[in-house]
């Protein structure tokens, strides 16, 4: 029975993958030190791989990866240990690349944050242990803020803008914040948290709606929904099926594409009517969204796959 050790993702400032690693540590999981290369060797680690001679038969590593950077995210330990990848953003354009990497490194256990991707991987690798978990978040970072009618930002668009999906130009008496010329609306993570807690409405669509050229038909739950729910913002747009299935209801106000501006203005003018909804959304996000519960699920599953965890 192999012991599972987690290895922290590469620290390049704000890395959402660190939240899972931190939850693993909090839940008592064992860890190993990182050995990422010096920056001058990053290009090599991204584009080339070390040869594999012999792998440790007592240790498996839980690594936090994206298909665009599989070799770097697991460097250099793919050459020495069994890797258990926890995979984000395995879009169709990366599917074959990911499959090739899984075969090359004899991966027998993997976790995916997209249920659709996990289902496709199960068909490709019927003998592999594969778990699908919805993406989580560190719920302690986000503030519930004031009641909706006391907030100063009427509409906040803090993600990818796609005018084919959502195109609203509110009158000047409404405060509408969105990214201009690709610039970041918020300079720091704390600025984002504060902005969210002072907003009445925000916009959330699955990436398959806003960037179909990248996400294809993969519809998955991202942490943006959890951020909005934890901050008690009215969410307009479309909810991914994973979110509805997990929570048991739809926390998103579905947008009417023919009357977007009228719908947004009506919500702003009757914002008190949505206070109960955002209160419920925050409670549900705290219950279902935290990475601690996801990590416990991963640990239990790995134990049932005959790994030693703690």
């Amino acid at each position: 029975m192999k012991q599972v050790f987690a290895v922290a993702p590469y620290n390049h400032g704000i890395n959402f993958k660190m939240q899972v690693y931190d939850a693993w540590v909090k839940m008592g999981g064992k860890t190993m030190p990182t050995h990422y290369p010096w920056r001058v060797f990053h290009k090599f680690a991204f584009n080339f791989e070390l040869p594999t001679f012999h792998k440790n038969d007592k240790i498996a590593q839980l690594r936090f990866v994206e298909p665009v950077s599989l070799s770097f995210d697991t460097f250099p330990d793919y050459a020495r240990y069994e890797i258990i990848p926890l995979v984000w953003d395995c879009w169709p354009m990366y599917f074959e690349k990911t499959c090739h990497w899984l075969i090359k490194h004899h991966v027998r256990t993997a976790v995916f944050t997209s249920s659709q991707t996990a289902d496709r991987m199960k068909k490709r690798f019927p003998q592999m242990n594969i778990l699908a978990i919805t993406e989580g978040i560190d719920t302690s970072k986000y503030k519930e803020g004031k009641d909706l009618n006391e907030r100063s930002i009427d509409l906040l668009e803090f993600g990818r803008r796609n005018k084919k999906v959502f195109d609203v130009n509110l009158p000047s008496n409404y405060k509408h914040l969105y990214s201009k010329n690709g610039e970041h609306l918020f300079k720091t993570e704390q600025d984002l948290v504060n902005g969210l807690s002072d907003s009445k409405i925000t916009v959330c669509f699955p990436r398959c709606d806003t960037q179909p050229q990248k996400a294809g038909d993969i519809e998955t739950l991202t942490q943006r929904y959890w951020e909005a729910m934890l901050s008690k913002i009215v969410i307009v747009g479309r909810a991914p099926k994973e979110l509805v299935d997990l929570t048991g209801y739809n926390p998103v106000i579905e947008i009417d594409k023919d009357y977007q501006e009228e719908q947004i203005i009506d919500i702003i003018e009757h914002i008190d009517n949505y206070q109960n909804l955002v209160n419920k959304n925050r409670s549900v996000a705290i219950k279902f969204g935290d990475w601690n519960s996801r990590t416990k699920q991963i640990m239990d599953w790995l134990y049932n796959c005959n790994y030693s965890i703690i």
Side-chain angles (χ1 to χ4, degrees):
M1 179 182 288
K2 288 186 179 181
Q3 174 75 56
V4 178
F5 290 79
V7 177
Y10 182 74
N11 184 7
H12 51 71
I14 298 175
N15 189 338
F16 63 91
K17 291 180 285 189
M18 276 299 301
Q19 296 184 16
V20 200
Y21 176 80
D22 290 341
W24 177 272
V25 174
K26 184 177 180 180
M27 300 297 291
K30 294 183 179 295
T31 64
M32 293 180 69
T34 63
H35 297 97
Y36 296 106
W38 294 335
R39 184 170 293 275
V40 69
F41 297 117
H42 279 192
K43 185 176 181 180
F44 171 84
F46 268 95
N47 296 300
F48 303 97
E49 290 192 345
L50 301 172
T52 299
F53 296 108
H54 173 72
K55 293 200 175 186
N56 189 295
D57 60 1
K58 296 181 179 180
I59 293 174
Q61 286 190 349
L62 178 66
R63 303 299 290 253
F64 311 97
V65 308
E66 297 172 77
V68 70
S69 54
L70 278 168
S71 296
F72 181 84
D73 290 339
T74 58
F75 186 92
D77 296 321
Y78 55 74
R80 299 185 292 174
Y81 301 101
E82 175 189 347
I83 300 296
I84 302 173
L86 198 170
V87 188
W88 283 261
D89 295 345
C90 189
W91 308 120
M93 62 190 295
Y94 298 122
F95 187 82
E96 291 301 327
K97 173 187 176 182
T98 304
C99 290
H100 176 75
W101 193 90
L102 296 175
I103 294 170
K104 180 178 181 179
H105 293 283
H106 306 287
V107 173
R108 65 187 185 95
T109 304
V111 185
F112 294 88
T113 62
S114 163
S115 58
Q116 287 176 282
T117 300
D119 288 342
R120 294 177 187 183
M121 286 294 179
K122 288 176 182 178
K123 291 179 181 179
R124 178 67 71 92
F125 303 108
Q127 303 305 315
M128 187 181 293
N129 303 313
I130 294 176
L131 174 68
I133 59 163
T134 53
E135 188 168 335
I137 197 168
D138 181 352
T139 59
S140 66
K141 291 185 176 182
Y142 296 87
K143 303 187 296 187
E144 59 181 301
K146 299 176 182 178
D147 285 348
L148 292 171
N149 60 15
E150 297 180 48
R151 300 185 176 197
S152 67
I153 303 169
D154 293 299
L155 176 61
L156 172 66
E157 296 182 67
F158 70 105
R160 296 174 294 273
R161 297 198 85 206
N162 186 322
K163 289 196 172 186
K164 293 182 179 179
V165 176
F166 185 83
D167 187 11
V168 168
N169 294 297
L170 294 180
S172 59
N173 57 311
Y174 296 103
K175 188 173 182 179
H176 180 188
L177 294 185
Y178 57 90
S179 177
K180 299 179 178 69
N181 301 320
E183 296 178 353
H184 290 293
L185 266 180
F186 305 104
K187 294 182 179 180
T188 67
E189 186 176 28
Q190 193 55 51
D191 288 342
L192 169 63
V193 170
N194 293 337
L196 289 168
S197 64
D198 193 33
S199 299
K200 297 174 184 177
I201 304 171
T202 195
V203 183
C204 290
F205 286 93
R207 184 173 244 178
C208 60
D209 290 359
T210 59
Q211 290 186 313
Q213 71 278 10
K214 184 170 187 177
D217 62 342
I218 299 296
E219 177 191 283
T220 190
L221 169 59
T222 60
Q223 72 172 24
R224 182 163 293 124
Y225 289 90
W226 294 132
E227 289 173 333
M229 292 172 71
L230 290 165
S231 304
K232 288 190 175 181
I233 308 177
V234 178
I235 311 172
V236 299
R238 190 171 74 83
K241 184 175 182 294
E242 289 178 346
L243 177 60
V244 176
D245 290 346
L246 179 64
T247 62
Y249 75 107
N250 189 347
V252 178
I253 305 298
E254 299 284 336
I255 197 71
D256 186 333
K257 294 184 178 180
D258 296 324
Y259 301 97
Q260 293 184 4
E261 290 183 13
E262 294 89 342
Q263 186 178 12
I264 294 298
I265 291 173
D266 184 74
I267 293 173
I268 295 171
E269 296 301 318
H270 301 90
I271 198 68
D272 286 337
N273 295 344
Y274 298 89
Q275 190 64 52
N276 288 338
L277 173 63
V278 298
N279 291 347
K280 177 181 179 180
N281 284 354
R282 178 174 169 84
S283 297
V284 168
I286 290 172
K287 179 180 180 181
F288 291 105
D290 200 274
W291 268 121
N292 289 340
S293 59
R294 297 290 186 288
T295 302
K296 178 63 163 59
Q297 181 184 356
I298 293 170
M299 286 180 162
D300 291 344
W301 177 74
L302 288 173
Y303 178 80
N304 289 332
C305 293
N306 204 34
Y307 292 92
S308 177
I309 306 302
I310 298 175

